[in-house]
Amino acid sequence: MSVSATSTISTPIIANSAARILQAAMALCFGAIIVGFVGFSHIEIVHNAAHDTRHANAFPCH
Amino acid sequence: MSLFRSIVFTAALTGVIVGVSVSAVQFAGTSQLIAKAEVYEKAGEVEPQAITTSPMVDAHVHDAGHDHEEGAWEPADGFERMAFTVAANMLTAIGYALALCGLIAMRGKPVTWREGLLWGLAGFACVMIAPMLGLPPELPGTPSAPLGDRQLWWIGTALATAAGIGLISFKRKPWAALVAIALIAAPHLIGAPAAPQGMHALAPEALEHQFVAAAVMTSLLFWALLGSLSGTLFNRFERTT
């Protein structure tokens, strides 16, 4: 009885916390992709457009 | 409001404010120094013979300049270049704010502006201070190792430093502190990719020093604003859930 009571209470909490971690991880990846695009792209046009930002942020630049 | 939406709203608003503020500071500081360095860089590219005598050093001087592909588009000097710099700064700030808020949300504890500021200063240490120990902010025309090698070292250093700071902050055990110190030190013991020997910067050393100081101060402002605004706004959006 007590086992089933625990499981009914804790399952939604675990699911909720897993969903929050997943959403936070998505935001983290999304942010890394944006920073990677602006600061680390090898595409010449992207490099030229973000040139001064790359130099000022100490992103490796050529 | 879902957590993801809270983070995205926080990052977008923070990114726009930080991007515009930092651009204003850059236009008075780093951008002016970059423009000065480009005068030396262009002079070095046009007249390498005037600077050097041996063919070996001549080749180095050419390498030291920007290796741009011929004919690739670049923003025209003046308003267009400034507009692209503002856009790039805003995107960088949005990207970093997304990552910072993602990490704060993973930690799972509500933050105030002050804790946000501490998260921001940790970010400053990870992506500015640690990488610049090996790869300082460079003016155009500064000799350097191949781009791919430097990017790999930069990313590895930022991640190792972040992991180290995370361990020190959240695991209050002596072993964690030891691992953290090893992690933070490792990239510097391995060493950043060095520029080939014999190359020299085209801009004067004094300009280079000024640029490093200006870039570090601007980055400190960037991260202080980014952290405290992220903390404040994220807290506010999460409370309206």
Side-chain angles (χ1 to χ4, degrees):
Chain A
M1 189 62 191
S2 66
V3 172
S4 67
T6 310
S7 65
T8 50
I9 293 164
S10 63
T11 307
I13 294 170
I14 292 169
N16 187 30
S17 110
R20 286 180 67 85
I21 295 280
L22 187 69
Q23 291 180 59
M26 264 170 62
L28 183 63
C29 292
F30 197 24
I33 289 168
I34 294 176
V35 173
F37 176 74
V38 179
F40 290 83
S41 173
H42 282 232
I43 301 165
E44 193 68 14
I45 290 173
V46 178
H47 163 269
N48 290 346
H51 178 263
D52 294 358
T53 299
R54 285 171 77 138
H55 276 275
N57 282 294
F59 290 132
C61 212
H62 58 228
Chain B
M1 195 186 290
S2 81
L3 176 67
F4 187 71
R5 279 180 65 192
S6 300
I7 295 177
V8 170
F9 282 159
T10 304
L13 202 53
T14 302
V16 170
I17 298 170
V18 173
V20 170
S21 319
V22 160
S23 298
V25 178
Q26 278 185 7
F27 291 144
T30 53
S31 294
Q32 303 288 333
L33 298 168
I34 288 172
K36 279 185 193 168
E38 280 176 350
V39 175
Y40 290 100
E41 185 191 24
K42 289 200 172 94
E45 278 171 356
V46 172
E47 295 180 76
Q49 293 301 332
I51 302 166
T52 65
T53 47
S54 83
M56 270 293 281
V57 185
D58 176 30
H60 289 150
V61 168
H62 177 77
D63 284 349
H66 272 205
D67 229 357
H68 292 301
E69 284 165 21
E70 285 301 317
W73 172 88
E74 58 181 45
D77 279 348
F79 178 76
E80 195 178 39
R81 185 166 173 174
M82 286 164 84
F84 275 96
T85 300
V86 175
N89 280 332
M90 284 202 285
L91 272 178
T92 308
I94 290 171
Y96 275 144
L98 278 169
L100 197 73
C101 291
L103 288 170
I104 290 173
M106 277 186 187
R107 171 83 178 135
K109 291 196 175 162
V111 288
T112 60
W113 70 267
R114 198 168 170 280
E115 281 146 350
L117 174 64
L118 292 176
W119 277 91
L121 292 178
F124 173 65
C126 294
V127 304
M128 191 68 183
I129 297 299
M132 73 167 275
L133 292 178
L135 299 170
E138 288 174 346
L139 280 172
T142 304
S144 52
L147 182 61
D149 294 354
R150 284 182 291 134
Q151 288 183 331
L152 195 64
W153 188 87
W154 193 104
I155 292 168
T157 304
L159 290 178
T161 310
I165 291 177
L167 275 175
I168 292 171
S169 306
F170 305 128
K171 286 248 178 280
R172 288 158 200 272
K173 292 271 167 23
W175 69 262
L178 286 175
V179 173
I181 289 165
L183 271 172
I184 293 169
H188 307 286
L189 297 175
I190 294 166
Q197 293 233 316
M199 290 169 72
H200 57 86
L202 299 174
E205 213 172 304
L207 201 63
E208 192 86 44
H209 285 193
Q210 260 182 298
F211 182 71
V212 172
V216 172
M217 285 301 111
T218 315
S219 179
L220 177 63
L221 173 76
F222 176 101
W223 280 102
L225 264 179
L226 189 104
S228 45
L229 276 174
S230 292
T232 309
L233 295 173
F234 184 54
N235 198 2
R236 184 155 295 186
F237 284 130
E238 272 296 90
R239 273 191 290 145
T240 57
T241 304

